[in-house]
Amino acid sequence: MASGSPPSHLGATGAMKPLPALIFSSRWLQLPLYIGLIVAQCVYVFLFLKELWHLVTHAFDFSEQQIMLVVLGLIDVVMISNLLIMVIVGGYETFVSRLRLEGHPDQPEWLSHVNASILKIKLAMAIIGISSIHLLRTFIEAGNIGIVGRTANYTETGVLLQTLIHVVFIFSAIGIAWVDRMTVSGKSH
């Protein structure tokens, strides 16, 4: 290609040809998906406030274990909400359009170096965190398994399967990070 001539996807005037313009513009089809995730975030805020109210109004009635389970539920909601923010902000910035937050005092630190690969690793770590909270809640509630007169919400098989799923999440995250590291080190050679 001679210097001074526009790239092949641009016409003589420098404007995009119709097909590349259509393909490039199709990224905006993701906008309703991100707006839907914002609505889901609102639902999680409502759920958090509802559970917090439940905790406060029953603080004198609940046992320590019940309080711990509600608090773990609140932490779970916060972690899922954090995951939603990473997907909404990071995904929009990576796949749709720049947010132009450079220099904004509230710009998340991680956003300045986000790309699809980093976003995958952050999402995998968030999923492991969420799974850890669920597993901890399961272990706390599983103390009722086999005790006469107490109702258990989980079976031994259910606890084992949830533990196995958590381990699979961990190995998946390690695999994603390993492949990412191999890809980055392969590009540097």
Side-chain angles (χ1 to χ4, degrees), residues 5-68:
S5 64
S8 61
H9 65 279
L10 298 178
T13 62
M16 281 186 134
K17 291 181 181 178
L19 184 58
L22 175 67
I23 292 170
F24 185 62
S25 298
S26 71
R27 73 192 191 282
W28 288 100
L29 291 173
Q30 289 189 304
L31 184 61
L33 306 177
Y34 292 118
I35 291 171
L37 289 178
I38 292 169
V39 172
Q41 178 87 349
C42 293
V43 171
Y44 265 100
V45 168
F46 176 76
L47 176 64
F48 182 88
L49 293 173
K50 184 177 118 182
E51 286 298 311
L52 183 62
W53 178 255
H54 186 240
L55 176 65
V56 170
T57 58
H58 292 88
F60 293 109
D61 305 329
F62 282 172
S63 67
E64 180 183 358
Q65 182 178 1
Q66 288 171 311
I67 290 172
M68 188 183 334

Side-chain angles (χ1 to χ4, degrees), residues 76-153:
D76 186 41
V77 170
V78 169
M79 292 183 81
I80 292 172
S81 185
N82 290 342
L83 177 63
L84 280 168
I85 289 297
M86 279 192 287
V87 171
I88 294 166
V89 175
Y92 182 88
E93 175 88 9
T94 303
F95 300 112
V96 179
S97 183
R98 296 280 173 216
L99 292 170
R100 311 225 187 283
L101 296 175
E102 295 81 16
H104 192 282
D106 292 332
Q107 178 186 5
E109 178 272 328
W110 56 268
L111 192 58
S112 63
H113 54 272
V114 73
N115 60 39
S117 183
I118 289 172
L119 194 57
K120 278 190 292 190
I121 292 170
K122 285 192 173 296
L123 292 175
M125 296 308 295
I127 290 168
I128 289 171
I130 292 164
S131 175
S132 297
I133 295 296
H134 279 261
L135 195 56
L136 182 57
R137 288 178 70 183
T138 299
F139 287 156
I140 291 168
E141 290 186 34
N144 293 331
I145 294 176
I147 297 176
V148 178
R150 287 189 133 172
T151 308
N153 292 330

Side-chain angles (χ1 to χ4, degrees), residues 151-166:
T151 308
N153 292 330
Y154 299 96
T155 63
E156 289 179 27
T157 305
V159 173
L160 287 174
L161 287 174
Q162 193 171 349
T163 303
L164 179 65
I165 291 168
H166 181 71

